[in-house]
Amino acid sequence: MYYSEFNQARAVLVCRIARGGDEENDFGPHIERLVSAAEATHGGAARLALLILIDPGHPLPNSVWRRRVAEATSNAHFKPFFAVVTDNPLARGMLTALSWLRPQRFEAHVGPSEERAVAWLEAKRQERLPELGFLLERVMRKAPARRSKPPMAAAG
């Protein structure tokens, strides 16, 4: 299942790729959301802060989806600060390796901690982003959490 929450005014997007439903095809709506958010914030005062949560046990994208993600993120308007949270070490390694293999317009952080991802995004944007906590809470409420730990509390 795919869930996302977007605050265009603050250029903040939180996505959750959750267990359940048609997991192999969750990446289609995800790509559409990435592209639409990048387009909506292109030319704005702040770079898009993008937080992606991948639930434990969700399958990695197959080669077709990996190619489509690579194409979408190669778009000239795709320049976010990009943080991925996953407890899957293979996924973390794959995402890190991709950043080494091709030139990117965005900066990425990959790790197992929501708190570190949010701190990294705030450091990159050089401002507090309480919206990340609010949007994170909303995407986590949309389906039962299947994370190894409870979600981060919304920043106030």
Side-chain angles (χ1 to χ4, degrees), residues 10 81 119-129:
R10 291 287 290 143
F81 295 118
W120 183 85
L121 288 167
E122 289 180 336
K124 287 297 178 179
R125 283 270 298 261
Q126 298 180 354
E127 64 179 317
R128 296 254 316 123
L129 296 170

Side-chain angles (χ1 to χ4, degrees), residues 30-92:
H30 180 57
I31 292 168
E32 291 172 15
R33 179 49 121 174
L34 294 180
V35 170
S36 69
E39 290 288 333
T41 58
H42 178 70
R47 282 175 71 175
L48 177 64
L50 171 56
L51 176 61
I52 299 172
L53 302 144
I54 303 173
D55 278 8
H58 193 285
L60 298 176
N62 63 31
S63 61
V64 171
W65 285 120
R66 286 193 306 271
R67 181 179 48 79
R68 290 179 182 167
V69 168
E71 289 169 359
T73 60
S74 296
N75 178 315
H77 292 174
F78 194 79
K79 299 178 183 178
F81 295 118
F82 187 101
V84 178
V85 176
T86 177
D87 67 352
N88 182 330
L90 180 61
R92 290 195 309 262

Side-chain angles (χ1 to χ4, degrees), residues 6 22 45 50 53 63 71 89 95 104-105 123 134-135 141 155-156:
F6 180 47
D22 186 6
L50 171 56
L53 302 144
S63 61
E71 289 169 359
L95 291 164
Q104 299 172 340
R105 294 178 177 87
F134 301 137
L135 299 181
R141 272 191 270 137

